[in-house]
Amino acid sequence: MDVALTGRLLATLSVLAVACGAAAADQTAPPRGQALADLQHAIHQAGVGPATWHVDTVSAHPGDTVQTVEVIGDLDEARHILDQRFPGRTRVVRGHVTSDLVWRRGHDYPLEGELQALNQSDFQVFKTGSAPDGRTTVGVVGDLTAARAYLDAHYPGRTIVHGNTL
């Protein structure tokens, strides 16, 4: 009786060991579903704040383990930062020509869209634009000090905040 029970226990443990080994070996499998969406969002957010580059798109073909990240601006700095945050999971390439031209003209449309979508309790963005020095102007209603502090913390050196009088 003890031999039969011991045999079944050993067989169960070996099946579990094989299953755990297979799961550990499968960590190189491409992310799917919510894991893929979360990874792509995190990569995109990593390129929101830098002043010398920003993420245009993040994509991958089905089955790819590496995300293709289209970047506008300094590709070397983007590669360095993304390799640190997502080692072995990104491939940085130059963004689309049309996006690059828009960015070089001074308007950072992805940033402007993100700013206009802000929902803060102490201030609201009502207008964005392009400043002569390349930063984005941000017109706000509400607490200007809070708006400046928030935008300086989240978008350092990229915005100029003004009230609704400009």
Side-chain angles (χ1 to χ4, degrees):
M1 178 86 157
D2 288 334
V3 173
L5 184 59
T6 304
R8 272 190 253 163
L9 181 59
L10 288 175
T12 302
L13 289 175
S14 0
V15 168
L16 285 173
V18 169
C20 289
D26 197 29
Q27 288 186 9
T28 60
R32 297 158 129 218
Q34 189 61 47
L36 176 60
D38 291 345
L39 173 63
Q40 289 182 341
H41 179 72
I43 292 169
H44 196 276
Q45 288 302 109
V48 169
T52 61
W53 62 278
H54 71 268
V55 173
D56 189 26
T57 63
V58 180
S59 63
H61 294 289
D64 284 354
T65 57
V66 175
Q67 303 298 305
T68 300
V69 183
E70 292 185 8
V71 169
I72 306 300
D74 189 337
L75 296 181
D76 292 331
E77 184 178 339
R79 278 188 192 102
H80 176 73
I81 290 172
L82 292 173
D83 283 345
Q84 284 181 331
R85 294 205 46 204
F86 308 98
R89 301 193 75 185
T90 61
R91 180 174 60 92
V92 174
V93 298
R94 183 165 303 286
H96 296 303
V97 173
T98 54
S99 298
D100 199 25
L101 290 173
V102 168
W103 191 64
R104 286 190 178 150
R105 284 191 200 130
H107 276 274
D108 187 345
Y109 291 114
L111 174 61
E112 288 185 44
E114 194 171 316
L115 294 171
Q116 290 171 1
L118 281 178
N119 186 13
Q120 299 296 311
S121 60
D122 43 3
F123 70 90
Q124 286 297 127
V125 174
F126 72 90
K127 181 179 180 182
T128 59
S130 177
D133 66 0
R135 293 186 288 172
T136 298
T137 60
V138 185
V140 298
V141 175
D143 187 343
L144 286 176
T145 304
R148 285 187 179 109
Y150 179 89
L151 295 175
D152 284 346
H154 289 84
Y155 309 97
R158 296 181 68 192
T159 61
I160 300 171
V161 176
H162 62 83
N164 61 356
T165 58
L166 186 63

